[in-house]
Amino acid sequence: MLAYLLLALAIGAEVTATISLKLSEGFSKVGPSILVVVGYVVAFVALSQVLKAGLPIGVAYAIWAAAGVALVAIIGVVFLKEPVNAAMIAGLALVIGGVVLIEVGSAQ
């Protein structure tokens, strides 16, 4: 259970850092730039603790990466008014489906 809580922290920190990267405007804005650095440090420290707690690296990385991609895409569309189309939605569904298959495969 601790591994999944740490994984959620890693995902949240990575998403925060990635969105802040966009908002930093090429590191020209100090506040978002600080969030980029802090967010990525927290994300990787938390992810390292997830692996130390025993979650298989393939499963941990798949969940971390896919959740990050999906959340950043959703935040981009909803809050940053970025465009979305059917192909992008299908791609996100495939990414999520791939993670589910990795999780199922690792349980066998």
Side-chain angles (χ1 to χ4, degrees), residues 7-96:
L7 186 55
L9 173 64
I11 292 165
E14 187 266 336
V15 168
T16 299
T18 301
I19 296 300
S20 297
L21 189 59
K22 165 104 174 153
L23 299 175
S24 77
E25 296 182 9
F27 292 106
S28 65
K29 293 188 174 180
V30 176
S33 297
I34 291 169
L35 282 176
V36 170
V37 174
V38 171
Y40 283 128
V41 168
V42 170
F44 283 107
V45 168
L47 188 58
S48 74
Q49 294 304 304
V50 168
L51 300 176
K52 185 177 177 181
L55 202 61
I57 191 167
V59 171
Y61 189 74
I63 294 169
W64 182 70
V69 167
L71 289 170
V72 167
I74 291 166
I75 290 168
V77 169
V78 173
F79 295 105
L80 303 176
K81 307 300 181 213
E82 294 183 347
V84 65
N85 59 45
M88 294 169 68
I89 293 169
L92 285 173
L94 288 170
V95 167
I96 293 167

